[in-house]
């Protein structure tokens, strides 16, 4: 897996989910900040409540992050980078964020009849979801 480019960040890129070392060094060497958080909100149709759940913060904390220039915690940066990487992969597979959001919000047999979005609050859940996207790329009916 390579590096994924985001249209909003001409100088920035996010490593693919399967490459933990690249993600680690990306978080250490890039300024993962409010722009990344705002970009996630921009590309998804999910509410602040859902995004806050994914990031394991309260809605109030999420909104405060958006208003201030305070630094994000390392664990939050990592989770944010993983979510953005997942979104880029999902957009590549589904053609756009809207179709990917619909898939994330639909109950799925491979996710124990839960919606994939319910798995995005942990790194392992994001990786599992990303693996399902890769399976779809290779013709699996996910």
């Amino acid at each position: 897996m390579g590096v994924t480019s985001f249209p909003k960040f001409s100088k920035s890129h996010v490593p693919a989910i399967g490459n933990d070392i690249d993600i680690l060094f990306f978080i250490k060497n890039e300024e993962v900040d409010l722009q990344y958080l705002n970009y996630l909100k921009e590309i998804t149709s999910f509410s602040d409540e859902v995004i806050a759940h994914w990031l394991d913060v309260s809605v109030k904390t999420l909104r405060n992050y958006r208003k201030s220039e305070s630094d994000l915690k390392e664990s939050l940066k990592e989770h944010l980078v993983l979510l953005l990487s997942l979104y880029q992969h999902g957009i590549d597979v589904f053609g756009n964020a809207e179709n990917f959001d619909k898939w994330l919000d639909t109950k799925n047999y491979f996710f124990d009849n839960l919606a994939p979005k319910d798995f995005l609050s942990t790194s392992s859940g994001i990786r599992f979801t990303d693996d399902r996207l890769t399976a779809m790329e290779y013709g699996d009916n996910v």
Side-chain angles (χ1 to χ4, degrees):
M1 296 191 179
V3 172
T4 303
S5 298
F6 284 98
K8 289 291 201 181
F9 301 103
S10 58
K11 67 178 177 52
S12 298
H13 49 278
V14 176
I17 287 176
N19 198 334
D20 289 338
I21 293 170
D22 284 349
I23 289 172
L24 175 66
F25 283 106
F26 181 84
I27 293 165
K28 294 295 182 192
N29 296 323
E30 294 289 326
E31 191 173 330
V32 178
D33 58 11
L34 179 64
Q35 287 184 352
Y36 288 80
L37 191 57
N38 287 336
Y39 186 62
L40 178 62
K41 178 61 178 171
E42 218 175 280
I43 62 173
T44 182
S45 62
F46 289 109
S47 67
D48 281 353
E49 288 77 10
V50 172
I51 295 170
H53 174 71
W54 291 345
L55 296 172
D56 195 28
V57 296
S58 70
V59 174
K60 183 178 179 181
T61 300
L62 177 66
R63 291 178 179 157
N64 284 339
Y65 275 134
R66 284 203 194 109
K67 287 186 224 174
S68 70
E69 292 297 320
S70 62
D71 288 336
L72 303 175
K73 297 183 298 184
E74 292 293 308
S75 60
L76 184 67
K77 289 178 184 182
E78 178 183 26
H79 207 86
L80 183 56
V81 167
L82 288 170
L83 285 168
L84 288 171
S85 183
L86 177 71
Y87 255 86
Q88 192 56 49
H89 191 188
I91 290 168
D92 290 346
V93 171
F94 285 93
N96 59 50
E98 182 180 318
N99 289 338
F100 181 52
D101 279 349
K102 285 179 187 173
W103 180 78
L104 284 174
D105 204 26
T106 303
K107 290 181 181 181
N108 188 309
Y109 171 80
F110 290 97
F111 290 82
D112 201 25
N113 289 319
L114 297 170
K117 74 173 183 178
D118 297 331
F119 288 76
L120 303 185
S121 60
T122 64
S123 348
S124 56
I126 292 171
R127 285 182 176 86
F128 176 73
T129 304
D130 189 64
D131 288 346
R132 297 292 86 217
L133 291 174
T134 300
M136 290 172 72
E137 289 177 303
Y138 288 93
D140 202 356
N141 188 13
V142 179

